[in-house]
Amino acid sequence: MIAKLKGLLDETGADWAVIDVAGVGYLVHCSSKTLAALGEVGEACTVFTDLQVSENDMRLLGFAEAAERDWFRLLTQVQGVGSKVALAILSALSTGEVQQACANGDAAMVARANGVGPKLAGRIVNELKDKAGALPGGGMTGTSAAPVSGASADAVSALENLGFKPAVAARAVAAAQGELGEGANEGELIRVALKRAAG
């Protein structure tokens, strides 16, 4: 499973980018917000990724922040939301706005995204309402949180690889970060977050 790519931005399109990692070009499909965050062609960039495999397709999705990837995974768990619709939502709304919409049951906000009708928007906010407070990317107050640091994003990914659900892993790491402070490294975060997630 490819979790992260670090390389040079080689080329971009309407909803994709090619990241050159040691001479290998990875095509990643991205939201417009992630594309804007990647910078100019030729510049160094990092994307968090999610690999989706179906019967006749295999695609790599890229995200500027781990929080955006976590919300993408949650959104695609909702019936009727594929990768294209999830990226459209994350192009129209920040992760903080998605979180606020789900927490407040604001289907109209989600329906602002291309290809999302009122019925689907209602299903999304209803199904994700209980998970809205668990992921980073914006608090219940509606204010956007600061981007997840590299160490905490890697710690969340490590807990997910150990079998914890994304929401549980994110909550445990956030609690560990609060306890240890912003300067905590990945190892420290994982150690404390594991105790919290297991408890």
Side-chain angles (χ1 to χ4, degrees):
M1 172 82 162
I2 302 168
K4 187 167 74 171
L5 295 174
K6 202 170 190 176
L8 298 176
L9 183 59
D10 196 55
E11 191 182 351
T12 60
D15 61 354
W16 55 267
V18 175
I19 313 293
D20 184 324
V21 181
V24 178
Y26 290 87
L27 175 68
V28 291
H29 297 268
C30 311
S31 71
S32 59
K33 292 187 188 306
T34 288
L35 284 173
L38 291 179
E40 300 296 321
V41 169
E43 289 183 354
C45 64
T46 300
V47 288
F48 297 92
T49 58
D50 189 66
L51 181 64
Q52 293 213 324
V53 181
S54 62
E55 284 181 25
N56 51 12
D57 189 27
M58 188 163 73
R59 64 174 53 201
L60 200 58
L61 291 303
F63 308 94
E65 298 175 13
E68 188 186 16
R69 180 182 61 188
D70 292 341
W71 272 104
F72 172 85
R73 288 173 175 167
L74 264 188
L75 287 165
T76 52
Q77 287 173 15
V78 177
Q79 186 187 349
V81 179
S83 58
K84 204 168 183 178
V85 171
L87 285 181
I89 292 169
L90 292 169
S91 291
L93 305 170
S94 69
T95 52
E97 288 170 328
V98 176
Q99 189 168 36
Q100 182 184 358
C102 292
N104 298 336
D106 189 351
M109 185 182 265
V110 178
R112 281 167 33 193
N114 286 336
V116 180
K119 192 174 178 184
L120 180 57
R123 187 186 306 144
I124 290 167
V125 297
N126 284 336
E127 289 193 24
L128 300 183
K129 181 170 50 182
D130 295 337
K131 300 173 183 176
L135 288 183
M140 300 291 270
T141 59
T143 56
S144 291
V148 182
S149 72
S152 62
D154 290 343
V156 170
S157 184
L159 262 67
E160 286 177 32
N161 291 338
L162 290 170
F164 291 99
K165 290 183 178 177
V168 174
R171 195 165 46 231
V173 171
Q177 186 106 54
E179 185 181 318
L180 297 168
E182 291 299 318
N185 64 37
E186 183 187 343
E188 292 170 330
L189 287 171
I190 292 170
R191 181 174 51 78
V192 175
L194 269 174
K195 288 178 187 172
R196 290 189 172 264

